[in-house]
Every structure is written in structure tokens, then in C-alpha cells.
Amino acid sequence: SQQGEEDPQALSIQEGENATMNCSYKTSINNLQWYRQNSGRGLVHLILIRSNEREKHSGRLRVTLDTSKKSSSLLITASRAADTASYFCAIKTYSTLTFGKGTMLLVSP
Amino acid sequence: EAQVTQNPRYLITVTGKKLTVTCSQNMNHEYMSWYRQDPGLGLRQIYYSMNVEVTDKGDVPEGYKVSRKEKRNFPLILESPSPNQTSLYFCASSRGQELSGANVLTFGAGSRLTVL
């Protein structure tokens, strides 16, 4: 399956701490994307990293990609209660985008 | 406002009663797709469309039909719904999904369907 697999399934931290989520996949990719979903709502795109990139930043988000290990990580720094959501990695191949099962992040005040 | 609009947002129906979930986007996107989301299974793609009159099966197409007669609309049809199609459905679109593209998906708000 091309599906990415996130780890951990759930993560609980305090406000101000950093949150790290990992994604592993099995196939060659065009790019890897991270999305966020607030409870029961539509997914929102956060950041995209191409297969020839190793690291990207966007605000408090930092994404890394290691194509030799077929893995990516999403780091959220200085977390806030509003970051509480599910986070999904998505594997981009030629014609489709395949999502993992997600990591549920709970940030407590 | 650029958006993907799904209707209905909530629906309770009975087994065998045909239903259609509409999806419309106002961004002139070529690519549209339907996903279903179930606890523990994540998002799974049902059908996608690379452009008008071009549709293809995703990972879980059984029991569903789609059509793409116009660029902006991509309805999902359940001809004879069954309880295992109870799920949260998302429509999404993007500019394109070609190999060189770095296109990202814009999602609708979701349609929660219950089949009794």
C-alpha cells in the first residue's frame, strides 16, 4: 500500500512543549504533504515537501523528509491549545494522494 | 471565497434508498476526489477525476458511482446504500495531479451519512 503510517497514533502534551509526529511510507513519492483536521471537519493543508527536499519550515512547523528511510517528521514548536487536532501525512504519487490514519494531538493548557 | 461545497452535511437514510451527495468547487480545479473517513481506517479514496468526463476508481469504489459532466461538480451517488456505507465523506479538489505538480487538496466540510 502507498499509504503513509503516522506514529504515534495519539500524543498528549502541555502548552509550550514541542510535538513531533512521524510518517513512514513504502513507495517512491513525488512529494509528501501534511494536513490538519479539527474534530469532524475538513482537512486543511499545512505544508508540502518535495522528494528532492530535506527540510521545510512554515511558521511554527518544521517538516523533514528522509527518502532513504522513507520517512518524514512534522515538528510543531511551542504548541498551543489551538493546535489540538488530528494530523495526517499524505503520499503523493503520479495520479493520487493517499492519506495515513493520522496522529491525534492533544495540547493541554 | 474559494471553497468546496458539499451537500447535505448530515443525512440519515435507510438501506436501499438511492442518494446523491453533491460536491461543487469554485476554483476552476481540474482534479476532484471523494474520500470516506472511518475510525481506525483514516481517509480512503473512493473515486477521483482528473478532468471533465475522466473518472477513475480509488481504493474503495464498491457501492459508489460518480460522474464529472462539468468541471465544477463531482457528485457521489449511492445507488443502493447499505449500513457499511455509514461514514464521514469528504470531497476535495486541486488544480491538477500531474507528475510535476505540487498541488494540494482543498477539502469540503464533510457529509456525515448514516444508513439504517
Side-chain angles (χ1 to χ4, degrees), chain B residues 35-79:
Chain B
Y35 292 87
R36 61 177 288 174
Q37 185 176 30
D38 302 287
L41 297 177
L43 276 88
R44 294 178 292 168
Q45 190 176 46
I46 304 171
Y47 270 95
Y48 64 94
S49 170
M50 301 279 271
N51 214 326
V52 176
E53 301 291 2
V54 180
T55 63
D56 217 337
K57 296 178 180 178
D59 297 319
V60 289
E62 295 76 23
Y64 304 94
K65 287 174 63 176
V66 293
S67 67
R68 187 91 182 273
K69 292 182 169 50
E70 307 164 283
K71 199 171 190 178
R72 64 183 295 129
N73 295 323
F74 191 44
L76 179 69
I77 302 157
L78 286 73
E79 293 272 1

Side-chain angles (χ1 to χ4, degrees), chain A residues 30 35 37 92 94 96-97, chain B residues 35 37 45 97 99 105:
Chain A
N30 177 260
Y35 288 76
Q37 182 184 34
K92 173 69 172 71
Y94 173 71
T96 192
L97 192 64
Chain B
Y35 292 87
Q37 185 176 30
Q45 190 176 46
Q97 287 292 314
L99 180 64
L105 288 172

Side-chain angles (χ1 to χ4, degrees), chain A residues 11-23:
Chain A
L11 181 61
S12 182
I13 59 174
Q14 299 289 122
E15 261 191 331
E17 294 180 339
N18 295 340
T20 299
M21 290 159 265
N22 302 297
C23 173

